[in-house]
Amino acid sequence: MAALRVAVPVLLLLLLPGLCLEPAAAAAPLVIWHGMGDSCCNPLSMGYVQKLVEKKIPGIYVLSLKIGSNLVQDMENSFFMNVNSQVRDVCSQLAADPHLKGGYNAMGFSQGGQFLRAVAQRCPSPPMLNLISVGGQHQGSVYGFPRCPGESSHICDWIRKTLDLGAYTQAVQEHLVQAEYWHDPLKEEDYRKNSIFLADINQERGINETYKKNLMALKKFVMVKFLNDTMVDPPISEWFGFYKSGQAKETVPLQETSLYKEDRLGLQEMDKAGKLVFLGVKGDHLHFSEEWFDTTILPFLQ
């Protein structure tokens, strides 16, 4: 009988090579970037999301980005710090974090979605593996500027008036975050010429082959659109679509834009390779259930 007790596990090892010999691979680290008027660690928003991910994926390393030395600065910078400077700051944070050196997944909420795309395009080291954009405005937005979250409404009233007066002036572009992804379909030439952030990462003034190569290195680019969105105008920007040029009523999907047809960012090739994922969720901007998050988003992180 002693020989049998030894032989059975040996047989199992022969049939199932590697069984229990190595621990399961740990989930890739996750980097989160919050949206307008939010902060890295708000217990009702990003703090909640971080804890949710850590609960569902034990042992995962989660970095919720903070732009500034404290939470107040982090919130204020989401309105008033030049986006290109924010992206450089984040690239430095990521490069200095030893947990990320093997690669990481990224999840951006609202404007944090397009900001993390800029990180993917501009800063390939450490490598971003998957990008999940939750309500990000990839063709621009805030044409007619949306309402603001929570206590930031008075700030948005001021911003709205400022943008109406001169979104594409140098002073406004340099110091107002929302101006940097303001895309006015009635002023396309002004947008292409003067937008210091979005027009650059969307290859509106020429082709940066490095941007294209770096974005195409993603395994998956997941775009979440809120089907009842009242904050993003137009909501199809969350799937990389936008208004037809010269008017502000009819929209076109990504596949009908010149960006896609000319493949200036490699999105057409990524689409054909199955790397683009378009998800829709019922609800207003950034309104989703824990159940939806668990069943729809977590699989991209595991």
Side-chain angles (χ1 to χ4, degrees):
M1 294 297 293
L4 180 61
R5 284 196 294 270
V6 173
V8 170
V10 170
L11 179 60
L12 285 173
L13 289 174
L14 290 173
L15 292 174
L16 300 172
L19 181 67
C20 298
L21 293 182
E22 297 181 1
L30 174 64
V31 173
I32 298 173
W33 199 336
H34 63 79
M36 175 179 69
D38 202 356
S39 67
C40 66
C41 313
N42 185 331
L44 300 179
S45 57
M46 296 301 97
Y48 172 79
V49 170
Q50 179 171 350
K51 288 185 177 180
L52 186 60
V53 171
E54 291 170 341
K55 174 184 174 183
K56 299 294 182 178
I57 310 177
I60 190 173
Y61 174 74
V62 180
L63 171 64
S64 188
L65 293 166
K66 179 172 66 176
I67 314 300
S69 60
N70 55 58
L71 300 189
V72 173
Q73 285 187 5
D74 190 22
M75 186 276 288
E76 291 177 345
N77 286 336
S78 75
F79 293 109
F80 303 117
M81 183 178 176
N82 182 290
V83 179
N84 294 311
S85 297
Q86 292 193 51
V87 170
R88 283 192 294 270
D89 177 75
V90 166
C91 289
S92 296
Q93 288 189 46
L94 302 185
D97 192 328
H99 295 93
L100 307 179
K101 62 182 180 180
Y104 64 96
N105 292 320
M107 181 162 54
F109 291 82
S110 196
Q111 67 185 26
Q114 68 254 35
F115 296 173
L116 278 171
R117 175 164 65 84
V119 171
Q121 292 174 209
R122 294 175 177 176
C123 307
S125 181
M128 186 183 295
L129 306 175
N130 297 294
L131 172 58
I132 302 170
S133 168
V134 185
Q137 306 93 357
H138 292 282
Q139 281 278 24
S141 184
V142 292
Y143 174 71
F145 201 70
R147 58 185 174 82
C148 258
E151 298 177 358
S152 303
S153 59
H154 63 289
I155 297 178
C156 284
D157 288 339
W158 178 84
I159 292 175
R160 186 180 296 108
K161 294 176 183 177
T162 303
L163 290 171
D164 286 340
L165 289 173
Y168 297 122
T169 62
Q170 183 177 352
V172 174
Q173 282 287 311
E174 289 286 349
H175 301 291
L176 194 56
V177 167
Q178 288 68 37
E180 296 179 53
Y181 58 89
W182 175 278
H183 188 171
D184 189 336
L186 306 181
K187 298 179 180 179
E188 288 283 358
E189 188 58 34
D190 286 344
Y191 157 69
R192 291 190 186 94
K193 181 179 179 181
N194 298 309
S195 169
I196 65 172
F197 173 69
L198 191 70
D200 177 66
I201 65 167
N202 280 5
Q203 309 273 46
E204 298 283 6
R205 293 189 287 263
I207 307 300
N208 183 325
E209 293 294 343
T210 300
Y211 283 4
K212 183 174 180 179
K213 175 185 175 183
N214 291 343
L215 189 65
M216 290 177 65
L218 289 173
K219 295 179 180 179
K220 294 287 184 183
F221 178 10
V222 181
M223 289 171 269
V224 177
K225 173 187 172 186
F226 290 89
L227 301 179
N228 310 104
D229 205 316
T230 63
M231 285 190 68
V232 175
D233 184 1
I236 200 171
S237 183
E238 297 170 9
W239 281 349
F240 238 118
F242 201 62
Y243 289 114
K244 276 189 175 181
S245 183
Q247 50 86 60
K249 293 183 179 180
E250 187 178 355
T251 61
V252 293
L254 167 63
Q255 290 78 3
E256 294 180 23
T257 64
S258 59
L259 176 68
Y260 184 93
K261 292 177 179 178
E262 297 169 9
D263 211 16
R264 301 197 303 266
L265 267 179
L267 294 171
Q268 182 185 138
E269 190 169 338
M270 292 176 73
D271 195 17
K272 291 178 179 177
K275 289 187 172 186
L276 301 186
V277 180
F278 301 90
L279 301 176
V281 57
K282 293 181 179 179
D284 203 349
H285 194 61
L286 300 186
H287 290 193
F288 56 86
S289 68
E290 182 175 329
E291 179 183 9
W292 174 84
F293 187 84
D294 288 350
T295 58
T296 309
I297 299 301
L298 284 181
F300 292 103
L301 306 178
Q302 294 171 314

